[in-house]
C-alpha cells in the first residue's frame, strides 16, 4: 500500500498496518471477484443503441454487386449460377423462363471446366448448377441425387465469409449470401430475354464463359419482375432475411449516424461521435481518427472508459455491456414488429434525452440478432469476453486487464480512509 500511495504522491499514514488491512479488503472486493462473479450484466443505469448500416454487396469469384439489398442481379464478383429447370432428381419443379433456365447438373462438367479444379474443390461439386443459395453456409450431406430443392453441398470453403472474405466487409450486411441463384446460358438468355422476364444476368469474373442470375431463382430476396412461376410458391432459399447469418443489421434498425438528440451537455461529456455508429463506445479502447466501427473516438470529458462514463454502475460486479457494441437507432423504423422478428431490443437512453439505442442491432459475441440460426460473422466489439476489462469472471492470469481500471478506485478509497484515520 505504501508503494501504491507513494506512486500517486501521497504520504504513507502513521497507522500503516490498519491501512494495509483496508487496502487488502478493498482489493479483495475489486479484484478478488475475478473468477467469482458470474453475471453477464447489461448496463442498468444508462441505455445505449447499436445498429449497422446495410450495404448491398454481393460476393463471388471477383464479382461485386453494388446494391444487393435492392438488386440481386448484379453479382459481378460471384460465380453463382443456379439451376431451376434441371431438377430432374427433385420432387417439386417450377417452370423457368424459357432460354434462361439454370444450366443444370447435366452440364456440371462444363461448369467445372470453366471454374477450374481449385474453385471446384473450394466451392463444391454442384456449385451454381441449379437453384440454391450456395453461399449461405447451410450445407447438405449425402449424395447429390437425394438433395432437396434449394439444398446444396459445400466445398472446402463452407460459408460466404470463407468464400469471399477477402472481397467484402462482413461487418456490413451481405444478405446476398442467402439469396438463391444459378448459372444460365448466355447464348439463349439474351438481353432481350432478360428484359422480357425482368431479370438481370451478370458475368462471372471467375470465368469468361460463365453467367449467373439471382432473379431466375425465386425467393424472398429476388425473383423475375415480369414472369410468374408455376407453381407460384417456388422458393429456393434456406434462410429468410431475419435468419440469414450474414445480415448484420435488421432492416430499419441501422445506426442513425447522429446523436444530436443527446443535447450539447451530454455530447460534451460522452463525446462528439458517441453512439453514431456500431462500436463498444464505453470500452476505453480509443482511436482519435475513427470513423467506423469497431473503432471509436473518446473526446468527451468523461469518455476515458466505462467507469468514467457511468460512475454510478457497480464495478464490483461483471459489466460485460461495457465491451458490447451498440449505436443509436430510429424507433420509428426499428419498430416493435421488426425488433420481434429479428430478436433485438431498442431502449430509450437513461440520459433522459429523447434518443434510442440497441445492443442487439450491432453484432458481436455479446449480443446479436437472436433469431439467426448460425453464428454471426460480424464482430463489432474490440474486446472478446475473455479480455473485457469489466468481466470479473476472467482468470486470475488475465487480471492485469482489469487492474488499470480498478486500481485507481482502490487507491483513491485507501487515501480517503487514510485521511479519516
Amino acid at each position: 500500500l505504501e508503494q501504491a500511495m507513494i506512486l500517486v504522491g501521497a504520504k504513507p499514514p502513521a497507522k500503516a498496518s490498519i491501512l494495509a488491512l483496508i487496502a487488502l479488503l478493498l482489493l479483495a472486493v475489486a479484484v478478488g471477484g475475478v473468477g467469482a462473479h458470474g453475471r453477464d450484466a447489461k448496463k442498468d443505469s444508462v441505455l445505449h443503441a447499436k445498429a449497422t448500416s446495410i450495404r448491398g454487396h454481393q460476393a463471388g469469384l471477383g464479382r461485386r454487386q453494388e446494391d444487393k439489398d435492392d438488386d440481386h442481379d448484379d453479382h459481378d464478383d460471384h460465380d453463382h449460377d443456379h439451376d431451376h429447370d434441371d431438377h430432374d432428381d427433385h420432387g417439386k419443379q417450377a417452370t423457368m423462363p424459357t432460354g434462361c433456365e439454370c444450366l443444370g447438373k447435366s452440364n456440371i462438367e462444363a461448369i467445372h471446366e470453366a471454374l477450374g479444379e481449385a474453385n471446384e474443390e473450394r466451392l463444391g461439386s454442384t456449385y451454381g448448377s441449379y437453384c440454391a443459395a450456395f453461399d449461405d453456409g447451410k450445407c447438405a450431406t449425402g449424395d447429390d441425387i437425394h438433395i432437396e430443392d434449394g439444398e446444396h453441398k459445400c466445398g472446402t470453403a463452407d460459408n460466404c465469409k470463407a468464400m469471399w472474405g477477402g472481397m467484402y466487409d462482413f461487418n456490413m450486411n451481405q444478405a446476398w449470401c442467402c439469396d438463391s441463384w444459378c448459372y444460365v446460358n448466355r447464348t439463349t438468355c439474351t438481353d432481350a430475354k432478360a428484359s422480357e422476364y425482368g431479370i438481370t444476368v451478370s458475368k462471372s469474373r471467375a470465368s469468361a464463359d460463365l453467367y449467373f442470375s439471382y432473379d431466375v431463382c425465386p425467393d424472398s430476396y429476388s425473383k423475375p419482375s415480369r414472369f410468374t412461376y408455376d407453381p407460384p410458391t417456388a422458393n429456393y432459399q434456406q434462410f429468410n432475411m431475419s435468419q440469414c447469418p450474414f445480415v448484420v443489421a435488421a432492416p430499419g434498425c441501422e445506426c442513425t449516424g447522429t446523436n444530436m438528440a443527446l443535447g450539447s451537455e451530454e455530447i460534451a461529456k460522452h463525446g462528439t461521435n458517441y453512439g453514431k455508429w456500431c462500436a463498444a463506445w464505453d470500452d476505453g479502447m480509443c482511436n482519435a481518427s475513427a470513423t467506423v466501427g469497431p473503432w471509436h473516438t473518446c473526446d468527451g470529458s468523461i469518455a476515458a472508459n466505462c467507469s468514467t462514463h457511468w460512475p454510478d454502475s457497480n464495478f464490483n460486479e461483471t459489466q460485460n455491456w461495457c465491451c458490447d457494441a451498440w449505436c443509436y437507432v430510429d424507433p420509428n423504423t426499428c419498430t416493435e414488429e421488426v425488433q420481434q422478428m429479428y430478436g433485438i431490443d431498442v431502449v430509450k437512453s437513461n440520459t433522459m434525452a429523447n434518443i434510442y439505442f440497441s445492443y442487439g442491432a450491432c453484432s458481436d459475441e455479446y449480443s446479436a440478432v437472436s433469431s439467426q440460426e448460425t453464428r454471426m460473422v460480424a464482430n463489432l466489439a474490440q474486446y472478446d469476453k475473455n479480455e473485457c476489462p469489466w468481466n470479473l469472471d476472467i482468470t486470475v492470469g488475465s487480471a492485469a486487464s482489469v487492474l488499470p481500471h480498478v486500481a485507481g478506485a482502490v487507491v483513491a478509497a485507501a487515501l480517503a480512509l487514510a485521511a479519516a484515520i
Side-chain angles (χ1 to χ4, degrees):
L1 177 65
E2 288 183 357
Q3 292 176 349
M5 296 181 70
I6 290 170
L7 286 174
V8 297
K11 183 178 179 181
K15 299 181 180 181
S17 60
I18 297 176
L19 288 175
L21 178 60
I22 292 171
L24 287 173
L25 290 172
L26 287 168
L27 285 169
V29 171
V31 181
V34 173
H37 295 285
R39 197 155 80 181
D40 183 8
K42 285 274 187 177
K43 188 173 191 338
D44 296 325
S45 60
V46 181
L47 306 175
H48 308 341
K50 54 183 185 169
T52 304
S53 57
I54 298 177
R55 185 188 297 178
H57 291 249
Q58 178 126 347
L61 296 179
R63 288 181 274 171
R64 172 163 303 201
Q65 178 188 21
E66 296 187 0
D67 192 358
K68 178 63 184 71
D69 293 312
D70 297 324
D71 182 359
H72 294 267
D73 316 315
D74 201 21
H75 281 241
D76 301 324
D77 299 329
H78 217 109
D79 339 21
H80 296 149
D81 201 343
H82 307 42
D83 183 349
H84 277 264
D85 58 72
D86 202 40
H87 284 221
D88 299 330
D89 300 323
H90 298 180
K92 180 181 67 176
Q93 296 186 32
T95 302
M96 301 191 72
T98 303
C100 294
E101 304 89 350
C102 296
L103 291 180
K105 293 179 183 178
S106 60
N107 289 305
I108 196 67
E109 290 187 7
I111 294 174
H112 290 171
E113 185 177 351
L115 287 176
E117 184 177 347
N119 281 325
E120 177 189 346
E121 180 180 357
R122 189 172 69 89
L123 302 174
S125 61
T126 59
Y127 190 75
S129 60
Y130 60 91
C131 278
F134 288 96
D135 310 290
D136 64 5
K138 191 172 184 178
C139 308
T141 58
D143 59 80
D144 296 339
I145 295 177
H146 295 98
I147 292 179
E148 298 295 329
D149 290 339
E151 295 181 348
H152 62 87
K153 296 175 73 173
C154 297
T156 55
D158 62 357
N159 66 76
C160 202
K161 187 175 182 180
M163 293 173 177
W164 318 116
M167 298 179 182
Y168 299 94
D169 181 1
F170 283 88
N171 282 339
M172 307 295 288
N173 275 11
Q174 305 293 354
W176 56 266
C177 295
C178 297
D179 192 359
S180 57
W181 62 275
C182 73
Y183 292 122
V184 297
N185 187 335
R186 189 57 167 150
T187 303
T188 58
C189 192
T190 62
D191 288 342
K193 284 286 186 181
S195 178
E196 176 186 345
Y197 299 132
I199 64 175
T200 300
V201 178
S202 301
K203 186 176 183 178
S204 168
R205 290 184 185 172
S207 169
D209 299 324
L210 289 176
Y211 292 79
F212 67 94
S213 176
Y214 285 86
D215 294 335
V216 298
C217 298
D219 55 28
S220 64
Y221 300 87
S222 58
K223 60 184 178 181
S225 62
R226 291 187 289 277
F227 181 85
T228 302
Y229 275 84
D230 179 25
T233 56
N235 187 335
Y236 295 94
Q237 70 188 29
Q238 297 194 96
F239 294 113
N240 62 33
M241 185 76 76
S242 67
Q243 298 169 327
C244 179
F246 307 98
V247 172
V248 177
C253 300
E254 300 85 5
C255 298
T256 61
T258 180
N259 60 10
M260 293 301 294
L262 280 175
S264 58
E265 183 177 346
E266 291 295 331
I267 291 175
K269 290 194 296 184
H270 295 288
T272 305
N273 297 312
Y274 192 67
K276 288 184 177 181
W277 61 80
C278 276
W281 292 93
D282 308 302
D283 67 2
M285 192 183 294
C286 308
N287 184 327
S289 59
T291 58
V292 65
W295 308 280
H296 62 85
T297 55
C298 302
D299 59 354
S301 62
I302 62 171
N305 60 60
C306 201
S307 62
T308 58
H309 273 291
W310 315 114
D312 292 337
S313 297
N314 182 7
F315 290 102
N316 289 329
E317 296 179 348
T318 288
Q319 304 291 359
N320 271 338
W321 55 265
C322 295
C323 298
D324 193 355
W326 63 273
C327 75
Y328 294 119
V329 298
D330 184 352
N332 294 313
T333 57
C334 192
T335 62
E336 289 186 8
E337 180 181 4
V338 174
Q339 294 172 43
Q340 196 169 46
M341 179 184 297
Y342 286 83
I344 64 176
D345 293 319
V346 174
V347 190
K348 187 174 182 179
S349 172
N350 277 1
T351 60
M352 307 310 293
N354 187 28
I355 193 168
Y356 292 77
F357 71 91
S358 174
Y359 285 90
C362 288
S363 299
D364 54 32
E365 68 172 310
Y366 302 90
S367 58
V369 178
S370 64
S371 63
Q372 288 167 336
E373 296 182 16
T374 56
R375 72 195 185 291
M376 287 299 305
V377 295
N379 184 6
L380 292 156
Q382 298 190 92
Y383 288 110
D384 65 34
K385 284 186 177 180
N386 293 324
E387 298 174 336
C388 180
W390 291 275
N391 180 1
L392 301 187
D393 296 327
I394 58 177
T395 63
V396 174
S398 301
S401 65
V402 179
L403 289 173
H405 300 287
V406 299
V410 171
V411 173
L415 288 173
L417 285 171
I421 293 173

